[in-house]
Amino acid sequence: MKKKIFAMVLSMTLAFSLAACGSPEVSGPADREPVTSAGNTTSDESSAEGSSTNESSSALADWYNSDDRKNLEDTINQMYASSGMTFSISIEEPGTIIYNYQYTETMNDGTNAEELYNYLRNSLDAQYQTFVDEIQNFKDAYGMPLTTLRLSYLDADGTDLCTMDFTEDYVPSTDGTSSSGVSSSQEYASLEDWISSDEQKLVVSTVNSQLEPLGLSIDIYAEGNVMVMDYTYTEQQDLEGLSQEDIASMFDEQVVPTFSSMVSSMFDSFENSYGLVLDDIKLLFHNADGTELYTKYFSEI
């Protein structure tokens, strides 16, 4: 099951990094009507297990009670250990998985409720295809009748900051808000200018803190107007006996599907947030000794 877990974790890491791109210092509450189903869902395992007692033999309950769910929670909590946030999963029969993100420090200062809610909503909206694809990933991997993936952001005291339901027929907002979830507070003349900015350094630092438990690090740089996302394993990967074609095939199967679901959101994010229309985005993986393992341009995906 390691491959399945890796794919899900990578998806969430990318989602986090894209959100961090625009506004890494988010604070404030969301002023909204509470969602009953999410509000009554706790991250406590006994409570979540209680939600499945009536359907204890369902595929959804079986997955929730499996080591896969526990390993996914543990891995993502390691990723968020330095980010002031915890992660838990709960379920709601017959077909809803709930990702609960809870801040460890109070975000509600009573002054910018609408700003935070709009930021979270729009950031998630910009990445909707990732979450829609995740529903299909769960179906394919576990054969469960999943219909909804719910993302719920909670304040330190459990107050609901923003909750969104994603289904396979989800349609993103068309109310005129920025699809990236952030205002264009600063535009850059070129990709090189953004690469040289403090904001890029903060993005790289933030994403690396998320990737560290996965044994990966990232560098983001420019080749002309192509943004390069250069991942390096922190420990040497034993690939003895594998041809370059074998290695490429593994990456194509395990990594490309996750990245492909993020393509449009990443291009849109850079255009809407920074005024940058990228020619392409290059995905690159290196082994710990610097050996290039895999290269792919998003235009090829």
Side-chain angles (χ1 to χ4, degrees):
M1 297 297 179
K2 281 178 129 182
K3 293 180 181 178
K4 298 171 186 173
I5 293 172
F6 174 78
M8 294 180 199
V9 169
L10 182 56
S11 174
M12 291 192 176
T13 301
L14 288 171
F16 178 86
S17 67
L18 184 60
C21 245
S23 182
E25 298 178 358
V26 180
S27 62
D31 185 11
R32 68 188 299 280
E33 293 295 323
V35 177
T36 302
S37 56
N40 291 337
T41 303
T42 69
S43 60
D44 181 81
E45 185 166 324
S46 61
S47 174
E49 287 177 346
S51 69
S52 63
T53 53
N54 294 332
E55 299 287 346
S56 59
S57 61
S58 74
L60 181 61
D62 288 346
W63 175 80
Y64 180 82
N65 293 315
S66 72
D67 288 339
D68 279 5
R69 188 271 303 173
K70 296 172 184 175
N71 291 338
L72 181 58
E73 277 188 345
D74 290 345
T75 304
I76 295 175
N77 271 310
Q78 289 177 24
M79 291 166 54
Y80 281 104
S82 61
S83 301
M85 185 177 287
T86 60
F87 172 79
S88 64
I89 297 173
S90 48
I91 60 174
E92 182 179 285
E93 295 286 6
T96 299
I97 290 178
I98 306 162
Y99 290 167
N100 301 291
Y101 298 87
Q102 184 163 4
Y103 291 98
T104 55
E105 295 184 6
T106 300
M107 295 288 107
N108 185 356
D109 63 8
T111 63
N112 56 349
E114 185 176 359
E115 180 183 355
L116 176 60
Y117 171 68
N118 286 335
Y119 170 78
L120 292 171
R121 183 195 66 178
N122 293 333
S123 292
L124 293 174
D125 219 22
Q127 302 163 59
Y128 81 97
Q129 191 60 53
T130 299
F131 308 125
V132 171
D133 290 345
E134 196 77 342
I135 295 173
Q136 189 61 51
N137 289 341
F138 272 109
K139 287 183 174 181
D140 292 343
Y142 303 104
M144 64 175 69
L146 188 65
T147 61
T148 306
L149 181 62
R150 177 174 298 149
L151 275 75
S152 183
Y153 283 81
L154 306 172
D155 210 341
D157 63 359
T159 303
D160 181 31
L161 300 177
C162 181
T163 295
M164 291 183 67
D165 282 2
F166 293 91
T167 60
E168 289 185 296
D169 59 354
Y170 181 83
V171 177
S173 172
T174 57
D175 62 0
T177 56
S178 168
S179 63
S180 66
V182 293
S183 61
S184 298
S185 57
Q186 180 174 356
E187 294 192 354
Y188 294 86
S190 68
L191 180 59
E192 288 282 2
D193 286 345
W194 182 79
I195 293 296
S196 301
S197 69
D198 289 338
E199 186 163 6
Q200 185 269 0
K201 294 179 177 62
L202 181 58
V203 169
V204 171
S205 175
T206 301
V207 178
N208 273 320
S209 71
Q210 308 299 306
L211 291 173
E212 184 178 1
L214 299 178
L216 287 168
S217 65
I218 191 173
D219 189 17
I220 301 175
Y221 53 90
E223 291 180 352
N225 196 38
V226 175
M227 188 181 74
V228 182
M229 300 172 63
D230 189 346
Y231 291 85
T232 299
Y233 288 97
T234 53
E235 294 185 5
Q236 188 72 7
Q237 302 299 298
D238 183 8
L239 302 172
E240 185 177 354
L242 294 177
S243 67
Q244 188 58 48
E245 290 76 14
D246 292 334
I247 296 172
S249 178
M250 287 193 302
F251 276 93
D252 283 340
E253 292 176 3
Q254 298 179 38
V255 176
V256 168
T258 299
F259 276 85
S260 63
S261 67
M262 296 292 296
V263 171
S264 60
S265 294
M266 295 180 72
F267 279 106
D268 289 347
S269 179
F270 269 81
E271 183 173 2
N272 293 326
S273 298
Y274 308 124
L276 297 174
V277 180
L278 304 179
D279 289 342
D280 214 331
I281 299 175
K282 180 180 178 181
L283 177 63
L284 187 62
F285 277 83
H286 285 99
N287 216 336
D289 63 2
T291 303
E292 184 176 314
L293 298 177
Y294 184 78
T295 303
K296 197 81 167 182
Y297 288 86
F298 277 140
S299 59
E300 300 174 344
I301 298 177

